[in-house]
């Protein structure tokens, strides 16, 4: 007999309470207040709350939550952005102010969602009421279920699409959000739908990816999607999604969604959360068995073999100058324009969010869309009003024509709020981008250059697919512990995706800009013709890459070099843990000590 196995403690918590039923408990805790959550049940309830979009913030910030709002495919419909701003303005102000972004802001994420911080559990019922009044929800924005569906942010508005993927993404969202049969999966389930020739849905790094493909059916060429399975970036074990030799027409996309997520529900690992992702099941089974099990056990129709895919046309994040990130001014098929605005590290102060909502109403349809590059797009701008929109003062700060170092900067939440992060991220990447813009010249013709900064190995900033990848670490400098980064080079997606090659380990954070400057000097000196940086990296061995440049101190100054993980908030003068006001009551007043 084999050794009996046991589900993880998280699985036991989920067996007790999970899915839609969490909401009733959440509302009860909201009515009674933070201290009604039993101390010995914090971990269990915080894990469950994620299903309704609430992550408890880190040590020193007890009683505060991050709230994630899911917006499928990044679509924020007319009237919704103003409500998002209202919620941030009224409920997302904590006991401390961020020196770059103030005390209320919205974070646009790499999965086309919205994150707010400093949320009190007591305010959740009012927040839910406001959001749901305009069709927004936090349901399944986190947790072990179908997450926010991502895809081309301009689906239905783009001249470069083979098939409008928005109706498919919307149908998947409506089908699986709140469906009890798929509410409790072994881990998160990330889905991408791409219909364009740029490949900006980033299907390669999702659990389930629908990618445009054509297939001859009964003598007629039809457009649909090839299916790929098992992509992901976390745990220092990135995987690219693999082709399982299945083509699906748009009307059958939900059937594949049912089948694949049910397969994962039944066969995913519930005994080891580190291995509870479909990418590890794909490692074990391979694409052929994955297809066979899907066919035999989880769909009731014959799966067509894969069609002729269009990946050879993919340009998004491909290392060239294609600008597939949708920043800039682009004509829609209907003659109107969409305008992609660069939002440095994806964070926008609440006053600017209000103003953007007004401008979207004034110049467009009121609809905006979020991208996987943490940027925001205003759609349906009338051609006669385009110049006036581009002259608006707000666009000086959120430019449709930004410098490459500003355009290519992505950062995760970091130690400001996240318990997993090892280093400070957003404010640091802002400082990196500004210093590089002012002090470093890119080689001639290089207009796209991506630097992704992630605070830990969870890879929320998607560092493995950047020109320069930064992954938070710790090191010692002059005998003192300091924040540091592993540095990777040459990642990207496109037709032939590849992950970054990690070439420098534990570089002190204040020496990273100097390393980048020296690296780009070497690139300029050794570059052949119009070779892209990604091609330059791919053409060299790891030893050659390591010899290209050294870290170096420069005029760049890093105020967050110390261990920000040991602070209650990195940006306040008195940041020691014992100085934290948390936990607090519904009015942000410190609760009495248990001592």
């Amino acid at each position: 007999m084999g050794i009996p196995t046991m589900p993880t403690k998280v699985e036991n918590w989920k067996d007790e309470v999970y899915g839609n039923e969490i909401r009733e408990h959440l509302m009860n805790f909201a009515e009674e207040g933070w201290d009604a959550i039993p101390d010995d049940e914090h971990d269990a309830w915080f894990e469950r709350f994620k299903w309704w979009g609430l992550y408890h913030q880190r040590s020193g910030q007890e009683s505060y939550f991050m709230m994630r709002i899911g917006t499928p495919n990044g679509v924020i419909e007319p009237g919704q952005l103003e409500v998002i701003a209202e919620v941030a303005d009224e409920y997302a102000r904590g006991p401390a102010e961020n020196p770059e972004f103030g005390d209320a802001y919205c974070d646009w994420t790499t999965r086309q969602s919205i994150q707010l911080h400093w949320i009190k559990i007591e305010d959740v019922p009012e927040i839910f009421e406001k959001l749901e009044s305009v069709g927004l929800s936090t349901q399944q924005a986190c947790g072990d279920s179908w997450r926010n569906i991502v895809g081309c942010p301009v689906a239905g508005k783009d001249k470069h699409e083979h098939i409008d993927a928005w109706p498919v993404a919307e149908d998947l969202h409506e089908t699986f959000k709140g469906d009890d049969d798929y509410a409790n999966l072994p881990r998160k389930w990330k889905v991408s739908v791409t219909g364009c020739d740029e490949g900006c849905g980033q299907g390669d790094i999702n659990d389930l990816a629908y990618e445009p493909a054509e297939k001859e059916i009964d003598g007629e060429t039809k457009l649909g999607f090839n299916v790929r399975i098992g992509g992901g970036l976390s745990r220092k074990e990135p995987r690219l999604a693999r082709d399982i030799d299945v083509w699906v027409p748009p009307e059958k996309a939900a059937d594949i969604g049912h089948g694949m997520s049910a397969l994962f529900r039944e066969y995913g690992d519930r005994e080891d959360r580190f291995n509870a992702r479909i990418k590890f099941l794909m490692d074990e089974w391979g694409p052929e068995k994955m297809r066979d099990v899907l066919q035999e056990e989880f769909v009731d129709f014959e799966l067509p073999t894969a069609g002729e895919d269009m990946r050879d046309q993919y340009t998004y994040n491909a290392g060239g100058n294609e600008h597939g990130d949708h920043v800039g001014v682009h004509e829609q098929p209907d003659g109107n324009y969409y305008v992609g605005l660069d939002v440095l590290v994806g964070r926008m102060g609440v006053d600017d969010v209000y103003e953007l909502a007004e401008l979207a109403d004034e110049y467009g349809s009121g609809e905006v869309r979020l991208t996987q590059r943490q940027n925001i797009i205003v759609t349906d701008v009338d051609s006669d009003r385009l110049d006036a929109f581009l002259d608006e003062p707000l666009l000086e700060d959120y430019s449709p024509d930004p410098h490459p170092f500003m355009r290519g900067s992505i950062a995760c939440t970091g130690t400001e709020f996240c318990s997993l992060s090892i280093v400070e991220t957003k404010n640091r990447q802002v400082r990196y981008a500004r210093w590089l813009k002012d002090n470093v010249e890119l080689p001639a013709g290089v207009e796209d250059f991506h630097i992704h900064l992630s605070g830990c190995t969870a890879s929320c900033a998607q560092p493995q697919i950047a020109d320069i990848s930064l992954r938070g670490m710790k090191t010692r400098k002059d005998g003192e512990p300091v924040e540091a980064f592993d540095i990777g080079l040459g990642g990207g997606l496109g037709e032939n995706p590849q992950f970054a090659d990690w070439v420098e380990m534990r570089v002190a954070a204040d020496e990273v800009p100097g390393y980048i400057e020296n690296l780009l000097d070497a690139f300029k000196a050794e570059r052949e013709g119009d070779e892209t940086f990604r091609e330059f990296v791919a053409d060299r061995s790891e030893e050659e890459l390591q010899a290209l440049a050294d870290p170096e101190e420069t005029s760049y100054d890093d105020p967050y070099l110390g261990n920000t993980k040991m602070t209650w908030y990195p940006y306040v003068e008195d940041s020691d843990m014992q100085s934290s006001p948390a936990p607090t009551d519904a009015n942000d007043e410190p609760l009495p000590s248990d001592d």
Side-chain angles (χ1 to χ4, degrees):
M1 294 178 62
I3 299 173
T5 56
M6 298 290 289
T8 64
K9 62 182 179 181
V10 173
E11 287 298 322
N12 287 325
W13 295 336
K14 292 194 296 177
D15 282 345
E16 295 170 5
V17 179
Y18 208 59
N20 290 298
E21 63 181 325
I22 296 167
R23 182 171 176 134
E24 181 180 352
H25 296 273
L26 183 57
M27 294 302 178
N28 289 337
F29 286 130
E31 183 177 351
E32 297 175 23
W34 159 262
D35 51 357
I37 308 172
D39 289 347
D40 61 350
E41 297 179 18
H42 275 187
D43 289 347
W45 284 112
F46 296 163
E47 186 65 38
R48 295 168 181 142
F49 289 169
K50 292 176 185 178
W51 202 90
W52 279 99
L54 289 172
Y55 269 89
H56 184 243
Q57 291 179 186
R58 65 177 181 85
S59 297
Q61 298 172 8
E62 289 80 12
S63 74
Y64 293 101
F65 292 82
M66 177 271 283
M67 176 178 281
R68 183 178 296 153
I69 304 165
T71 48
N73 213 79
V75 176
I76 301 177
E77 296 174 351
Q80 292 182 337
L81 187 60
E82 183 177 2
V83 171
I84 292 164
E86 290 173 358
V87 170
D89 194 8
E90 186 170 353
Y91 301 104
R93 296 180 187 271
E97 183 170 314
N98 184 298
E100 289 287 345
F101 301 101
D103 63 354
Y105 36 81
C106 296
D107 285 345
W108 318 131
T109 80
T110 53
R111 288 198 63 79
Q112 296 172 283
S113 297
I114 302 141
Q115 291 183 173
L116 307 178
H117 299 282
W118 299 121
I119 299 296
K120 305 292 297 180
I121 195 168
E122 294 88 346
D123 293 328
V124 165
E126 292 180 16
I127 295 173
F128 279 7
E129 184 177 358
K130 279 182 173 288
L131 294 176
E132 290 166 3
S133 72
V134 292
L136 291 166
S137 176
T138 67
Q139 186 183 45
Q140 291 175 228
C142 319
D144 293 346
S145 193
W146 279 69
R147 294 289 187 90
N148 193 55
I149 295 165
V150 299
C152 174
V154 289
K157 310 281 185 182
D158 190 16
K159 287 187 170 183
H160 300 94
E161 64 187 13
H162 303 287
I163 184 170
D164 181 1
W166 167 234
V168 176
E170 187 176 30
D171 180 55
L172 292 171
H173 172 81
E174 296 295 334
T175 299
F176 294 101
K177 289 297 180 181
D179 187 328
D180 289 334
D181 288 342
Y182 305 92
N184 183 1
L185 300 178
R187 283 295 302 276
K188 64 188 76 170
W189 183 249
K190 296 183 174 181
V191 178
S192 166
V193 186
T194 302
C196 65
D197 62 11
E198 293 173 324
C200 52
Q202 296 194 153
D204 284 304
I205 56 172
N206 279 265
D207 297 302
L208 166 61
Y210 299 86
E211 300 193 321
E214 57 185 16
K215 186 173 180 64
E216 188 168 312
I217 306 289
D218 298 328
E220 181 182 353
T221 300
K222 294 189 176 182
L223 280 167
F225 303 94
N226 281 347
V227 177
R228 288 178 175 252
I229 302 294
L233 297 179
S234 63
R235 270 194 63 198
K236 291 188 178 181
E237 295 192 53
R239 299 286 191 279
L240 295 169
R242 297 168 70 179
D243 184 1
I244 63 167
D245 192 26
V246 169
W247 177 89
V248 60
E251 64 272 15
K252 289 280 191 180
D255 294 304
I256 296 297
H258 279 289
M260 278 309 312
S261 52
L263 182 155
F264 179 51
R265 181 189 64 208
E266 299 304 316
Y267 289 103
D269 191 341
R270 292 184 186 265
E271 295 153 12
D272 182 353
R273 284 184 69 78
F274 288 112
N275 290 322
R277 292 296 298 274
I278 194 76
K279 65 182 180 182
F280 296 116
L281 188 61
M282 176 64 85
D283 287 349
E284 180 184 345
W285 284 6
E288 186 175 348
K289 181 175 179 180
M290 188 73 70
R291 187 191 199 282
D292 288 346
V293 173
L294 174 65
Q295 176 70 84
E296 293 166 9
E297 300 183 28
F298 296 101
V299 296
D300 58 4
F301 59 94
E302 184 176 352
L303 293 171
T305 57
E308 183 178 347
D309 70 37
M310 296 160 177
R311 292 178 62 87
D312 60 345
Q313 300 177 51
Y314 279 9
T315 60
Y316 183 81
N317 191 227
N321 294 319
E322 299 86 0
H323 289 342
D325 59 7
H326 305 294
V327 170
V329 179
H330 305 268
E331 188 176 9
Q332 299 176 181
D334 61 5
N336 291 327
Y337 287 81
Y338 70 81
V339 181
L341 305 180
D342 177 58
V343 183
L344 184 58
V345 302
R347 179 168 286 179
M348 183 176 280
V350 70
D351 290 343
D352 292 341
V353 179
Y354 274 126
E355 185 174 351
L356 184 62
E358 292 177 5
L359 295 179
D361 281 334
E362 181 180 351
Y363 292 99
S365 63
E367 178 193 81
V368 300
R369 299 192 178 190
L370 305 177
T371 82
Q372 294 191 69
R373 291 272 171 245
Q374 300 182 321
N375 295 318
I376 197 160
I377 297 167
V378 177
T379 65
D380 307 316
V381 178
D382 189 283
S383 58
D384 293 336
R385 310 210 63 205
L386 177 62
D387 289 342
F389 176 62
L390 296 175
D391 285 339
E392 286 287 344
L394 186 69
L395 273 63
E396 294 177 11
D397 295 322
Y398 305 100
S399 174
D401 186 25
H403 187 282
F405 285 130
M406 311 297 276
R407 181 181 202 140
S409 288
I410 286 180
C412 69
T413 298
T415 54
E416 182 178 9
F417 300 113
C418 180
S419 61
L420 297 178
S421 184
I422 301 171
V423 300
E424 196 281 336
T425 55
K426 282 199 182 285
N427 284 17
R428 176 173 279 134
Q429 183 56 35
V430 167
R431 296 173 69 88
Y432 279 176
R434 289 173 180 165
W435 187 90
L436 291 167
K437 175 177 175 287
D438 292 340
N439 293 277
V440 177
E441 282 191 22
L442 283 162
V446 175
E447 299 175 11
D448 260 351
F449 198 79
H450 300 151
I451 301 174
H452 293 195
L453 188 155
S454 206
C456 71
T457 59
S459 300
C460 297
Q462 303 173 346
Q464 298 95 327
I465 57 169
D467 293 299
I468 294 182
S469 311
L470 303 177
R471 182 173 62 199
M473 290 288 158
K474 289 288 196 300
T475 192
R476 299 189 74 85
K477 182 173 180 177
D478 301 326
E480 297 295 326
V482 296
E483 298 194 345
F485 292 94
D486 291 344
I487 302 178
L489 304 177
L493 298 180
E495 178 188 356
N496 297 303
Q498 64 187 45
F499 295 129
D501 190 357
W502 297 96
V503 299
E504 292 284 343
M505 300 294 138
R506 300 183 184 273
V507 175
D510 63 336
E511 298 178 18
V512 169
Y515 172 84
I516 295 173
E517 180 178 24
N518 294 337
L519 176 68
L520 290 175
D521 283 345
F523 176 40
K524 281 186 279 189
E526 300 183 23
R527 183 188 189 199
E528 295 184 4
D530 59 357
E531 185 179 33
T532 68
F533 184 76
R534 183 171 165 186
E535 291 167 341
F536 177 82
V537 170
D539 196 40
R540 284 160 174 77
S541 68
E542 186 170 314
E543 292 75 16
E544 290 173 315
L545 292 173
Q546 290 170 339
L548 281 174
D550 291 317
E552 183 181 359
E553 289 186 2
T554 62
S555 61
Y556 170 81
D557 177 59
D558 197 310
Y560 313 116
L561 198 57
N563 190 352
T564 59
K565 193 174 181 67
M566 299 305 294
T567 67
W568 77 269
Y569 192 66
Y571 313 120
V572 293
E573 187 173 343
D574 193 1
S575 62
D576 292 339
M577 283 291 186
Q578 59 267 28
S579 302
S580 170
T584 62
D585 63 18
N587 299 313
D588 268 353
E589 294 298 323
L591 291 167
S593 171
D594 291 334
D595 298 337

